[in-house]
Amino acid sequence: MQKVFAISINCVSKMEQMQSIEININIGVELLRGNLNIEVFETVGLENHIDYEDEGQSLHEEHQRSRLNELLDMRNSENSSLAPLNIEELNLKSREVDLLVHELTYLHYNFKDQYSNEEYNAAQEKIISAKVNPDFRVKTIPYVLSPSTDEESETCAICLDEIKNGKNIGSLQCGHEYHINCIKRWLRVKDLCPKCKRQCLPF
Amino acid sequence: MQASRARLFKEYKDVQREKVADPDIQLVCDDANIFKWTALIKGPSETPYEGGVFQLAFAVPEQYPLQPPNVRFLTKIFHPNVHFKSGEICLDILKNAWSPAWTLQSVCRAIIALMAHPEPDSPLNCDSGNLLRSGDVRGFHSMARMYTRLAAMPKKG
Ligand SMILES: [Zn+2]
Ligand SMILES: [Zn+2]
């Protein structure tokens, strides 16, 4: 069974957050198919997570927490054999709440009907334990996609388009820069920097 | 699909604009299909391929540049890392060492480099590999030279 490290990427905008969810969905599909064995969900980069307007931030958090509550209620009532979980006990950071909500929601809407209850529940539990189990949090993944501060414009080696100043630029640890979308697509294939071949993930 | 087209179109424009001009490489895109390219490359000097012009065929996958193009020699070449019949090329960057930072043009350059520096230990052409491995450099050169004359040079007369 292939080992995978699910990555959640620092998001610089809502748009990019959607794209990072897309990655998680793909991982979710593979997980359900039994092809993957999720070992780690990355939880670093909390400080960089999406900044909504001040007021929006607390509203957003409140909303996400109530959404997670609903999702956990659903889980608790569906899996009577499991110890019920509630959001207070989980003691999650807001970033983790975000990720859990997204992943469980997608799992629910996209896969519930296509898979057996057992498969669905197993995937759900994996996602939850990846988020709440401290053992899963030990390892962090030392690669960050972050908005560039570089003023120069150059070419993205993946699409050959210009890299313009702005927030769609992702730079890897080695310092090489690409469009965030471009590098995300490549890192799903291989965890190496296209330019210098340095490993971006520790496995 | 869309990303691969856009990227190939970029490469096409760069070739047209001679932004990546290289006198040893002539890269041409099929009129009807941007996923099919051919290249003419000059045999590197001080090798048995000198003076020859070799044709390569590129079949670009829809996942390009996340996946490497499929490249083979259309011109017969006697080289340890090229299959003598199929023209298939054994080159790491076209397989597991692929990176999207390669372009069709730079792949051509890598193939020219491979022509100048054969890797006899991973032969696709066993005869050629064996000649080199057994230290018969002259034997290898004369065979390679003969095929360059036969297949890659304009016929005299
Ligand atoms: Zn790009
Ligand atoms: Zn790099």
Side-chain angles (χ1 to χ4, degrees):
Chain A
M1 191 180 269
Q2 200 189 338
K3 216 162 64 172
V4 87
F5 289 75
I7 328 152
S8 56
I9 293 153
N10 285 342
C11 303
V12 294
S13 71
K14 267 190 184 174
M15 195 57 208
E16 279 143 21
Q17 188 193 27
M18 293 309 291
Q19 280 142 4
S20 111
I21 294 165
E22 191 187 291
I23 296 180
N24 285 331
I25 299 170
N26 288 329
I27 291 170
V29 176
E30 295 301 311
L31 186 80
L32 284 165
R33 287 183 184 143
N35 295 334
L36 294 182
N37 178 14
I38 292 212
E39 294 241 323
V40 168
F41 270 84
E42 188 234 18
T43 54
V44 290
L46 299 173
E47 68 285 355
N48 278 17
H49 96 101
I50 339 147
D51 285 321
Y52 295 91
E53 308 291 314
D54 300 339
E55 205 179 330
Q57 179 63 31
S58 57
L59 266 177
H60 170 74
E61 276 179 26
E62 201 180 306
H63 174 261
Q64 291 293 75
R65 285 185 172 270
S66 72
R67 183 76 195 112
L68 184 58
N69 248 332
E70 284 169 28
L71 287 162
L72 288 176
D73 280 350
M74 219 177 326
R75 167 206 176 264
N76 295 341
S77 64
E78 277 166 5
N79 299 327
S80 49
S81 58
L82 296 167
L85 284 172
N86 74 61
I87 189 162
E88 281 71 33
E89 282 167 14
L90 294 179
N91 188 25
L92 299 166
K93 299 198 174 91
S94 70
R95 175 65 173 154
E96 292 165 331
V97 172
D98 269 0
L99 288 168
L100 250 175
V101 168
H102 288 310
E103 279 148 24
L104 292 177
T105 306
Y106 271 96
L107 194 68
H108 185 75
Y109 286 114
N110 293 302
F111 308 116
K112 186 149 176 48
D113 301 334
Q114 298 168 35
Y115 295 89
S116 74
N117 267 339
E118 288 72 33
E119 284 174 317
Y120 172 78
N121 292 341
Q124 202 182 32
E125 284 313 300
K126 272 189 187 174
I127 289 175
I128 294 175
S129 61
K131 285 290 181 298
V132 304
N133 184 343
D135 293 342
F136 284 96
R137 294 188 198 167
V138 201
K139 289 192 212 163
T140 52
I141 294 168
Y143 112 79
V144 193
L145 284 174
S146 57
S148 166
T149 48
D150 195 355
E151 294 296 304
E152 278 176 284
S153 85
E154 48 174 318
T155 304
C156 166
I158 298 169
C159 67
L160 302 182
D161 255 326
E162 211 177 296
I163 295 182
K164 298 198 184 80
N165 315 320
K167 39 182 178 173
N168 294 324
I169 298 165
S171 66
L172 298 176
Q173 278 211 314
C174 53
H176 286 124
E177 298 191 328
Y178 309 89
H179 297 115
I180 284 194
N181 291 348
C182 294
I183 190 64
K184 277 187 197 166
R185 287 172 62 225
W186 170 248
L187 289 176
R188 274 146 86 174
V189 178
K190 218 172 201 182
D191 55 320
L192 296 177
C193 171
K195 280 187 181 164
C196 66
K197 304 280 180 82
R198 251 179 273 178
Q199 205 158 38
C200 305
L201 304 176
F203 53 92
Chain B
M1 181 72 175
Q2 220 40 47
S4 58
R5 263 178 205 284
R7 151 92 189 222
L8 285 167
F9 191 65
K10 280 264 164 202
E11 292 195 42
Y12 175 77
K13 281 201 294 193
D14 287 349
V15 167
Q16 294 304 97
R17 270 193 261 131
E18 298 191 338
K19 196 175 160 185
V20 285
D22 184 325
D24 297 333
I25 300 166
Q26 197 188 327
L27 199 52
V28 184
C29 175
D30 186 296
D31 286 339
N33 183 352
I34 199 162
F35 293 97
K36 296 256 177 283
W37 295 62
T38 52
L40 295 173
I41 58 176
K42 283 188 191 158
S45 56
E46 290 167 36
T47 70
Y49 313 109
E50 183 170 5
V53 174
F54 297 82
Q55 193 174 12
L56 301 171
F58 286 79
V60 183
E62 284 180 10
Q63 296 305 314
Y64 182 77
L66 304 182
Q67 279 171 17
N70 185 304
V71 193
R72 61 189 190 90
F73 274 89
L74 292 180
T75 309
K76 276 266 171 289
I77 177 169
F78 188 77
H79 185 287
N81 310 110
V82 182
H83 193 278
F84 190 65
K85 279 201 175 126
S86 69
E88 187 198 333
I89 301 165
C90 179
L91 180 56
D92 59 351
I93 61 135
L94 294 173
K95 310 245 152 72
N96 51 359
W98 170 256
S99 144
W102 290 97
T103 61
L104 301 184
Q105 179 89 7
S106 61
V107 163
C108 288
R109 276 199 283 272
I111 291 170
I112 293 173
L114 180 71
M115 289 165 85
H117 305 282
E119 285 286 336
D121 289 330
S122 55
L124 277 173
N125 180 334
C126 294
D127 292 342
S128 156
N130 288 340
L131 280 173
L132 272 184
R133 262 186 304 191
S134 65
D136 189 355
V137 179
R138 275 189 61 190
F140 166 76
H141 270 249
S142 68
M143 287 291 281
R145 191 69 200 146
M146 183 185 86
Y147 279 106
T148 303
R149 280 181 203 281
L150 278 174
M153 288 165 104
K155 307 265 181 304
K156 286 194 186 122

Coordinates of all heavy atoms in Angstrom, one line a residue, chain A residues 172 174-176 178 193-198, ligand 2:
Chain A
L172 N 9.4 27.3 -3.0 CA 9.8 26.1 -2.3 C 10.9 26.4 -1.3 O 11.5 27.5 -1.4 CB 10.2 24.9 -3.2 CG 9.1 24.5 -4.2 CD1 9.6 23.4 -5.1 CD2 7.9 23.9 -3.4
C174 N 13.9 25.5 -1.3 CA 15.1 25.8 -2.0 C 15.2 27.2 -2.5 O 16.2 27.7 -3.0 CB 15.3 24.8 -3.1 SG 13.9 24.8 -4.2
G175 N 14.0 27.9 -2.6 CA 14.0 29.3 -3.0 C 13.4 29.4 -4.5 O 13.2 30.5 -4.9
H176 N 13.2 28.2 -5.1 CA 12.7 28.3 -6.5 C 11.2 28.6 -6.5 O 10.5 28.1 -5.6 CB 13.0 27.0 -7.3 CG 14.5 26.9 -7.6 ND1 15.2 25.9 -7.3 CD2 15.3 27.8 -8.3 CE1 16.5 26.1 -7.7 NE2 16.5 27.3 -8.4
Y178 N 7.4 29.1 -8.5 CA 6.5 28.7 -9.6 C 5.2 29.3 -9.3 O 4.9 29.9 -8.2 CB 6.4 27.2 -9.6 CG 7.7 26.5 -9.6 CD1 8.4 26.2 -8.4 CD2 8.3 26.2 -10.8 CE1 9.6 25.5 -8.4 CE2 9.6 25.6 -10.8 CZ 10.2 25.2 -9.7 OH 11.4 24.6 -9.7
C193 N 11.8 19.5 -6.4 CA 11.7 20.8 -7.0 C 12.1 20.6 -8.5 O 13.1 20.0 -8.8 CB 12.7 21.8 -6.4 SG 12.9 23.3 -7.4
P194 N 11.3 21.0 -9.5 CA 11.6 20.8 -10.9 C 12.9 21.3 -11.3 O 13.6 20.8 -12.2 CB 10.5 21.5 -11.6 CG 9.3 21.6 -10.6 CD 10.0 21.7 -9.3
K195 N 13.4 22.4 -10.7 CA 14.6 23.0 -11.1 C 15.8 22.4 -10.5 O 16.8 22.1 -11.2 CB 14.6 24.5 -10.8 CG 13.8 25.4 -11.7 CD 14.0 26.8 -11.4 CE 13.2 27.7 -12.3 NZ 13.1 29.1 -11.8
C196 N 15.9 22.3 -9.2 CA 17.1 21.8 -8.5 C 17.0 20.3 -8.0 O 17.9 19.8 -7.5 CB 17.5 22.7 -7.4 SG 16.3 22.7 -6.0
K197 N 15.8 19.7 -8.2 CA 15.5 18.4 -7.8 C 15.7 18.1 -6.3 O 15.9 17.0 -5.9 CB 16.5 17.4 -8.5 CG 16.4 17.5 -10.0 CD 15.1 16.7 -10.5 CE 15.0 16.7 -12.0 NZ 15.9 15.8 -12.7
R198 N 15.7 19.2 -5.6 CA 15.8 19.0 -4.1 C 14.4 18.5 -3.6 O 13.4 18.9 -4.1 CB 16.2 20.3 -3.4 CG 17.6 20.1 -2.9 CD 18.0 21.3 -2.1 NE 18.6 22.3 -3.1 CZ 19.0 23.5 -2.8 NH1 19.0 23.9 -1.5 NH2 19.6 24.2 -3.7
Ligands
ZN2 ZN 14.7 24.3 -6.3

